[in-house]
Amino acid sequence: MPKEEVESAPAFEWRYLNEERPDIFDLLTPERLLDVLRYYTFFKKNKKGAKRIKVITRWNQYRATRRIIERIEEYLSKSSEKKNGLVWQWQGSAKTFVMFFVANWFLNRYKGKNSVVFFVVDRTDLKDQHFGVFEAVEDREFREHFDVIKNISELRKRIEEMMKSEETGRVIPTGLHITMIQKFQYGKFKDLMRVKKVQSEENFEAEKAVRKSEVLFLIDEAHRTSTKLTR
């Protein structure tokens, strides 16, 4: 293969440590390669062409996932109080795969603590997109815990079940749930909330809260939704 083609081949576009310069040798280090094979490689069913395809992380997806994982581990180990974050990536960068990588890692890393993940989106086409990817994943354990919350009543029921489980000492079941931000309507949950006004601004605080730490919200573009729609 000509040198020009080798240098532009996808395998050499690994820029995890240095965005300015590809470094395939970093990907081939034992620690990195084993990590990619364990958490960043999966098979999914395909509707067109081949019946199944292999998905392997791109460097930008790996970098975003690693940063999210670092934030989660720092918070749960109590070495940091930061428990949220923002990842910015361009359109077409396969953010859905990033959310899968994070959720799959979270599910396995905290398996003994019955981790719960909510995938929150703001449009039905995004919900369908996430559902299509997650439903096609050939991972028995992931699909076993995955479902879609179809309406507000179902969302409220899930939250109440989590609260009741903690009050009675029962185990909160592991779950991977897709839902839409519009379902979190204040009017439907106001008995679980209290509102404090500070200098004419309303601050919402939970009257009751799920104390369990291993609950993760992965929110995709829901920042675009008007807050008036969720009150």
Side-chain angles (χ1 to χ4, degrees):
M1 180 182 294
K3 181 181 178 181
E4 294 77 11
E5 294 184 23
V6 172
E7 291 179 347
S8 63
F12 285 82
E13 290 300 314
W14 181 260
R15 301 170 181 261
Y16 171 59
L17 292 178
N18 186 348
E19 296 183 24
E20 303 299 323
R21 182 174 60 85
D23 184 8
I24 189 64
F25 295 105
D26 173 73
L27 176 60
L28 296 176
T29 58
E31 180 181 0
R32 189 84 66 220
L33 186 59
L34 289 174
D35 190 35
V36 169
L37 290 174
R38 175 66 181 86
Y39 291 112
Y40 302 86
T41 304
F42 65 95
F43 287 92
K44 63 186 290 286
K45 293 179 291 185
N46 193 36
K47 293 182 179 180
K48 298 180 181 179
K51 292 184 178 180
R52 66 198 300 252
I53 58 176
K54 182 190 293 184
V55 177
I56 304 176
T57 183
R58 301 177 193 167
W59 70 268
N60 61 293
Q61 296 163 350
Y62 184 81
R63 181 178 184 273
T65 304
R66 287 300 311 162
R67 293 295 297 274
I68 296 170
I69 286 173
E70 289 169 8
R71 177 62 56 84
I72 293 171
E73 290 187 319
E74 288 172 358
Y75 176 70
L76 292 182
S77 65
K78 302 187 185 305
S79 60
S80 172
E81 294 183 357
K82 293 182 178 180
K83 58 182 179 180
N84 51 22
L86 174 66
V87 175
W88 182 89
Q89 290 195 337
W90 61 91
Q91 185 176 5
S93 59
K95 295 184 291 294
T96 302
F97 287 161
V98 172
M99 296 175 77
F100 168 76
F101 294 143
V102 173
N104 189 49
W105 170 85
F106 193 70
L107 178 67
N108 284 274
R109 175 66 175 80
Y110 299 101
K111 182 183 297 186
K113 296 186 177 181
N114 298 89
S115 51
V116 179
V117 180
F118 286 91
F119 302 97
V120 183
V121 298
D122 69 344
R123 300 198 321 268
T124 53
D125 59 334
L126 269 179
K127 181 194 69 174
D128 294 341
Q129 174 184 311
H130 283 68
F131 175 80
V133 171
F134 299 154
E135 184 67 12
V137 168
E138 293 186 356
D139 185 301
R140 182 186 58 80
E141 187 170 13
F142 185 89
R143 294 182 61 185
E144 180 181 320
H145 297 294
F146 164 68
D147 68 357
V148 178
I149 296 178
K150 300 180 178 63
N151 51 57
I152 296 174
S153 297
E154 186 177 342
L155 175 61
R156 182 184 171 97
K157 181 180 178 181
R158 295 293 173 87
I159 294 174
E160 288 180 329
E161 285 176 348
M162 293 174 70
M163 290 179 172
K164 182 176 288 187
S165 293
E166 285 197 329
E167 291 173 356
T168 58
R170 292 184 297 168
V171 174
I172 295 176
T174 298
L176 301 162
H177 313 296
I178 292 182
T179 189
M180 296 182 67
I181 189 69
Q182 289 87 349
K183 290 182 174 59
F184 292 89
Q185 295 183 19
Y186 171 66
K188 303 296 183 179
F189 296 89
K190 63 181 180 181
D191 58 315
L192 303 178
M193 304 286 292
R194 62 170 175 263
V195 181
K196 287 186 176 181
K197 286 191 175 182
V198 180
Q199 295 180 352
S200 74
E201 291 187 4
E202 292 183 342
N203 292 328
F204 293 84
E205 293 183 1
E207 187 71 36
K208 298 180 180 179
V210 177
R211 296 183 298 274
K212 178 182 177 66
S213 299
E214 295 78 23
V215 179
L216 177 65
F217 282 81
L218 296 172
I219 303 173
D220 187 6
E221 300 191 11
H223 65 282
R224 300 174 303 187
T225 303
S226 170
T227 55
K228 291 181 180 180
L229 295 178
T230 60
R231 289 187 178 181

